[in-house]
């Protein structure tokens, strides 16, 4: 029988990348002569990659953004971010222990993120976590990305897992909608990057610390989803 699998979002779920994403966003905004975004306002812009973050920041400041300028600012954002990996980014409290619990219980682990694959891989490598993950799929790994459910199901297949024995863990409406569309139960962390409480998006369960993410919880949610 195929091993069960747990699939994590990256930014705002496994790793607190906010300080570095904010620095890179403001680096690009400075080139467009926009006001820097503060930490409190950052949550309104994050969630679907650098391009969307830049677009949302311009919209918030009522400044138009042409395609060529958007591409230029995205390159500045990505270059700045890439050069500073891992920067201040660190796993959330309890992440390393949760990984160990699921490995001991026989689970495969994977990452499904709207961060670019190369940056995702580089970050996980820099933090010394690569060996734990059977697949790391970014927004450019396939021809589709979250909230398209195929991003999640193809990540599971790439890792050698079974979508019928899978659990998603994320921090946003995008993650929750993706999992629901794939017919996969989803645990939402309530400390990630969203300006609305994740409970509003009706995930299968909500946790406030990785100590609460256990194989027992995963098994119960997977069984309930199977009917």
């Amino acid at each position: 029988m195929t091993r069960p699998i747990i699939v994590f979002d990256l930014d705002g779920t496994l790793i607190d990348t906010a300080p570095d994403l904010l620095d890179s966003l403001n680096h690009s905004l400075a080139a467009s002569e926009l006001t820097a975004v503060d930490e409190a306002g950052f949550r309104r812009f994050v969630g679907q990659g650098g391009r969307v973050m830049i677009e949302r920041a311009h919209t918030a400041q009522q400044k138009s953004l042409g395609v060529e300028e958007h591409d230029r600012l995205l390159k500045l954002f990505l270059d700045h971010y890439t050069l500073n990996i891992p920067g201040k980014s660190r796993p959330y409290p309890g992440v390393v222990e949760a990984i160990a619990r699921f490995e001991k219980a026989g689970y495969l682990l994977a990452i499904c993120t709207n961060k670019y694959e190369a940056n995702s891989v580089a970050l996980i490598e820099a933090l010394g976590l690569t060996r734990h993950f059977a697949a790391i799929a970014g927004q450019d790994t396939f021809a589709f990305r979250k909230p398209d459910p195929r991003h999640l199901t193809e990540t599971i297949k790439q890792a050698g897992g079974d979508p019928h024995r899978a659990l998603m863990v994320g921090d946003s409406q995008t993650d929750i909608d993706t999992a629901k569309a794939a017919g996969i139960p989803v645990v939402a962390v309530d400390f990630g990057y969203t300006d609305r409480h994740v409970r509003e998006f009706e995930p299968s369960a909500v946790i406030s610390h990785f100590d609460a993410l256990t194989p027992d919880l995963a098994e119960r949610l997977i069984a309930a989803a199977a009917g």
Side-chain angles (χ1 to χ4, degrees), residues 124-139:
I124 293 300
E125 286 181 348
L127 294 173
L129 300 173
T130 304
R131 69 186 185 279
H132 300 295
F133 297 99
I136 300 174
Q139 66 163 267

Side-chain angles (χ1 to χ4, degrees), residues 96-120:
V96 174
E97 293 82 1
I99 287 172
R101 282 196 298 275
F102 279 90
E103 287 182 328
K104 185 177 180 179
Y107 277 71
L108 293 166
L109 283 75
I111 291 171
C112 179
T113 174
N114 276 341
K115 196 186 201 76
Y116 282 100
E117 180 184 317
N119 283 339
S120 303

Side-chain angles (χ1 to χ4, degrees), residues 114-216:
N114 276 341
K115 196 186 201 76
Y116 282 100
E117 180 184 317
N119 283 339
S120 303
V121 170
L123 176 60
I124 293 300
E125 286 181 348
L127 294 173
L129 300 173
T130 304
R131 69 186 185 279
H132 300 295
F133 297 99
I136 300 174
Q139 66 163 267
D140 53 337
T141 302
F142 309 111
F144 34 77
R145 54 183 281 189
K146 297 183 295 186
D148 189 315
R150 294 175 296 172
H151 192 179
L152 175 55
T153 55
E154 289 300 314
T155 299
I156 291 168
K157 291 177 185 177
Q158 189 179 82
D162 180 353
H164 298 292
R165 302 189 70 207
L167 177 70
M168 175 76 185
V169 182
D171 73 309
S172 69
Q173 182 177 6
T174 298
D175 297 319
I176 295 166
D177 288 349
T178 301
K180 286 182 176 180
I184 292 171
V186 55
V187 172
V189 301
D190 65 5
F191 46 75
Y193 307 151
T194 178
D195 58 353
R196 293 166 60 188
H197 197 285
V198 287
R199 193 173 291 110
E200 295 182 34
F201 310 125
E202 300 182 347
S204 308
V206 177
I207 61 172
S208 298
H209 193 286
F210 270 95
D211 287 352
L213 186 66
T214 64
D216 179 65

